[in-house]
Amino acid sequence: MKNIHFIVNPIAGKGGAVMDMATLSKYFDQTEYQITLKVSDYAGHATKLTKASLNDGAKIIVACGGDGTINEVASCLVHTNVLLGIVPMGSGNGLAESLKIPRNIKKVVQVIKGGKTNRIDVAMVNGRPFFSNMGIGFDAKVISNYNSCGQRRLWAYLKAVIKSIKDFKNNERIKVELNGKTYNTNPFMFFVSNSKVMGYDISLTRMASLQDGLLDVVIIDNLTRGEILVLGFFVLLRLNQYLKKVKYFKVKELKLAFEEKCADRLMQADGELHHLNESELCVTIEERALSVLVP
């Protein structure tokens, strides 16, 4: 009998998706599957629930939510033999999109029951895992404004982008070490990706791979508001690689050093906002460190 635990974020995405025992009982035969469902009530709770599930002997743990929920669950499964399942219920679902995991409940159940797995790379920032992407600068500001909206919908994300364009100011100086070279930059955005898609099918790194043992790095030099609008237009048309101020790198490791002290420096990782106390960041890759159920 397969022991599967579901960790559910009930407020992920639109809040309309239903994932409860009544729903699961329709798809999982009780003679074949031992199903446990747990509900995450606050930030960090999914991590505690996942650790308890590991102690209870779960062989498959399914994260039901967005990239933030997946991060909390998957962080506990790195370098283990326990499989990660994903039910995309978030607003962006960048990792699920990159893995081609469907949103439809019937189809995603078939993925979980099918048992096909891929071992994917896991990115680390100062030892903390992230699975899709992390960023400093504009995208972190967007996440901050998005969280303030109180809504988890596309229109709220677009509203957060517009507000961020109006308000964004960046005087941050960063020293970057990668591929044996050092760069000094005052970036509009510093973005590190392990996957193809950020969410909503928006991408700065469509050539990224979850299995190549490399991080895709995007450094966008400081932009005027007009240049920000042009960048957005090019991203939507998937032509951002042609912009001169956008630099791309593939690396196994990179280091960042902030030149000035800042009381409230923001970083987003898998769509979750973090307030940084560190003046230096080291980003690395752990190859094939996580087993994920995939179509």
Side-chain angles (χ1 to χ4, degrees):
M1 183 173 289
K2 293 184 179 180
N3 187 0
I4 306 179
H5 286 215
F6 287 78
I7 311 295
V8 180
N9 179 357
I11 63 171
K14 298 179 181 179
V18 176
M19 182 59 64
D20 53 24
M21 287 304 297
T23 300
L24 292 174
S25 65
K26 296 177 184 178
Y27 299 105
F28 293 92
D29 188 333
Q30 293 183 8
T31 63
E32 295 182 46
Y33 299 93
Q34 180 182 340
I35 301 298
T36 300
L37 184 143
K38 301 178 179 181
V39 176
S40 171
D41 293 325
Y42 52 86
H45 193 198
T47 297
K48 293 181 180 180
L49 295 175
T50 303
K51 290 178 179 179
S53 292
L54 290 173
N55 290 334
D56 291 339
K59 300 303 180 185
I60 299 173
I61 301 181
V62 182
C64 306
D67 285 327
T69 304
I70 294 166
N71 181 289
E72 289 192 33
V73 174
S75 293
C76 303
L77 308 184
V78 176
H79 293 304
T80 74
N81 293 321
V82 177
L83 305 181
L84 172 71
I86 297 174
V87 176
M89 292 171 55
S91 49
N93 303 305
L95 184 62
E97 284 191 33
S98 295
L99 291 167
K100 301 187 184 303
I101 294 173
R103 280 176 172 262
N104 179 276
I105 184 64
K106 291 182 180 179
K107 292 180 179 180
V108 81
V109 164
Q110 290 305 313
V111 171
I112 295 167
K113 294 168 75 172
K116 180 182 177 181
T117 63
N118 275 347
R119 290 196 69 84
I120 67 170
D121 301 335
V122 176
M124 310 287 285
V125 52
N126 283 10
R128 299 188 296 266
F130 67 94
F131 304 88
S132 188
N133 60 74
M134 59 83 65
I136 297 164
F138 182 74
D139 59 329
K141 185 64 176 177
V142 170
I143 295 298
S144 178
N145 286 328
Y146 184 47
N147 290 346
S148 299
C149 286
Q151 299 287 332
R152 311 299 285 180
R153 301 203 172 119
L154 178 58
W155 66 263
Y157 185 80
L158 294 175
K159 184 178 178 181
V161 170
I162 293 169
K163 179 174 173 54
S164 299
I165 291 173
K166 291 179 178 178
D167 298 344
F168 186 76
K169 294 180 181 179
N170 183 37
N171 298 314
E172 189 79 84
R173 299 289 305 177
I174 302 174
K175 183 172 75 172
V176 185
E177 295 180 28
L178 52 79
N179 292 340
K181 296 183 179 180
T182 300
Y183 301 86
N184 291 295
T185 180
N186 172 218
F188 164 73
M189 182 188 294
F190 190 96
F191 185 77
V192 183
S193 186
N194 187 38
S195 67
K196 294 178 183 295
V197 184
M198 297 167 67
Y200 299 115
D201 197 33
I202 297 171
S203 178
L204 293 172
T205 55
R206 291 197 182 274
M207 299 303 292
S209 169
L210 286 158
Q211 296 179 300
D212 64 355
L214 295 170
L215 297 163
D216 285 60
V217 180
V218 180
I219 303 176
I220 304 177
D221 290 336
N222 214 353
L223 303 176
T224 65
R225 285 189 175 89
E227 288 172 330
I228 293 171
L229 293 174
V230 172
L231 172 65
F233 183 71
F234 272 59
V235 168
L236 291 174
L237 293 178
R238 303 187 180 185
L239 299 172
N240 39 287
Q241 69 271 22
Y242 296 108
L243 293 174
K244 292 182 179 180
K245 287 194 174 183
V246 181
K247 299 182 178 69
Y248 294 90
F249 306 88
K250 282 186 175 288
V251 306
K252 284 190 172 294
E253 179 179 349
L254 63 97
K255 294 180 180 179
L256 304 179
F258 301 101
E259 294 186 3
E260 298 179 6
K261 293 183 178 180
C262 179
D264 191 26
R265 181 179 288 120
L266 299 178
M267 177 187 78
Q268 70 83 15
D270 289 341
E272 296 295 307
L273 199 64
H274 300 269
H275 296 265
L276 293 177
N277 294 318
E278 301 99 322
S279 60
E280 296 183 356
L281 298 178
C282 181
V283 188
T284 58
I285 194 82
E286 300 279 339
E287 295 187 38
R288 309 293 178 100
L290 178 70
S291 292
V292 187
L293 291 163
V294 295

